[in-house]
Amino acid sequence: ISYAYPGTNNLILDNVSINVSKGSKIGIVGETGSGKSTLVDLIMGLLLPTSGSIDIDDVQIEKNTNLGSWRSLVCHVPQDIFLLDDTVSANIAFGIPESEIKKNLIKKVAEISGFASVAEKLPQKYQTIVGERGSSLSGGQKQRLGIARALYKDLDVIIFDEATSALDSITEKKIIDSIDLFDSSITIFMIAHRIETLKNCDEIWSLENGKINVSRYQEIINHL
């Protein structure tokens, strides 16, 4: 695929071709402006390639046929998590009516994301109101809650967009390992500035000058 924003000839991605196996963990790195966000938007189906195509199981993603179906399988976890002025439970099961929330699943995904230890210390645990924009939670706690929300949705692809930046490296590793144990068939894309974050990734994509260089974690470390 190639991609240039409308009205420009500047190719953010220039004739890039990569295969991704289901269940892979892909790290994405690059300087500011290198195209990381554009690439993620293409993967999510928010943008369509200027040329070329994105194929899932040899089926081309097209706007008028299956684009909506593909989008429904992908979850995006941003750095800044949007939280409702509601309970912990309602924020994890985002958009699900209270009567339909699966409490056992809430606790399970909270454990995987590392938020369970936080919830257990709150006054009303999972029924505690988090405040407007999560005012009662720290940055790292919000990110863990956001990861729990992504897992609760039970989708095929999760994109972590700097979503663990407020966590220490040990907590970060525990969460990624736990997600793999939870469901190894989930395909994960991780945008990160800290290269250590990507230690468990199967591949690391380095974006530069419209191209993507595919390498392994150890190869990158050896070149530092």
Side-chain angles (χ1 to χ4, degrees):
I1 62 171
S2 293
Y3 185 80
Y5 283 100
T8 74
N9 295 319
N10 180 31
L11 288 174
I12 306 297
L13 294 171
D14 183 7
N15 197 29
V16 169
S17 183
I18 298 181
N19 291 319
V20 178
S21 299
K22 183 175 175 64
S24 295
K25 291 175 180 56
I26 308 296
I28 301 174
V29 296
E31 294 183 359
T32 300
S34 61
K36 299 187 298 295
S37 295
T38 301
L39 175 61
V40 164
D41 286 346
L42 285 160
I43 292 170
M44 290 191 290
L46 299 180
L47 298 175
L48 292 174
T50 304
S51 63
S53 67
I54 295 176
D55 299 349
I56 311 298
D57 296 336
D58 297 323
V59 177
Q60 183 175 335
I61 300 300
E62 296 180 295
K63 184 175 182 178
N64 296 324
T65 54
N66 53 11
L67 179 59
S69 297
W70 169 243
R71 285 178 178 171
S72 70
L73 300 177
V74 182
C75 179
H76 179 239
V77 186
Q79 182 176 8
D80 186 17
I81 307 296
F82 173 77
L83 296 177
L84 300 167
D85 186 9
D86 206 334
T87 64
V88 169
S89 181
N91 272 287
I92 293 176
F94 194 76
I96 305 294
E98 182 71 30
S99 60
E100 297 177 22
I101 293 177
K102 301 173 183 175
K103 293 182 180 178
N104 288 341
L105 183 56
I106 289 283
K107 291 184 177 181
K108 184 174 184 179
V109 297
E111 282 206 19
I112 294 167
S113 72
F115 192 80
S117 58
V118 177
E120 292 300 325
K121 295 175 184 176
L122 295 174
Q124 293 175 283
K125 299 186 178 180
Y126 291 92
Q127 293 306 307
T128 303
I129 302 292
V130 302
E132 189 174 347
R133 298 186 63 81
S135 58
S136 65
L137 303 175
S138 70
Q141 290 168 348
K142 290 178 189 177
Q143 289 189 334
R144 281 181 257 187
L145 196 152
I147 293 167
R149 177 188 292 172
L151 294 172
Y152 186 89
K153 291 180 178 179
D154 191 26
L155 302 181
D156 288 10
V157 179
I158 300 179
I159 296 173
F160 293 109
D161 192 349
E162 298 277 355
T164 57
S165 59
L167 304 177
D168 62 83
S169 57
I170 295 173
T171 302
E172 194 173 57
K173 184 179 185 303
K174 283 181 181 177
I175 291 171
I176 300 305
D177 288 346
S178 296
I179 291 171
D180 195 35
L181 290 171
F182 174 66
D183 187 347
S184 61
S185 70
I186 296 175
T187 305
I188 294 175
F189 294 90
M190 296 186 71
I191 294 179
H193 281 305
R194 294 185 307 205
I195 193 67
E196 314 89 66
T197 302
L198 309 177
K199 190 171 185 177
N200 288 352
C201 288
D202 301 302
E203 293 180 352
I204 296 177
W205 297 355
S206 303
L207 277 68
E208 187 176 6
N209 298 323
K211 300 296 184 182
I212 298 179
N213 179 49
V214 180
S215 56
R216 305 278 179 172
Y217 175 80
Q218 197 57 50
E219 292 174 325
I220 292 180
I221 292 299
N222 291 342
H223 281 90
L224 292 179

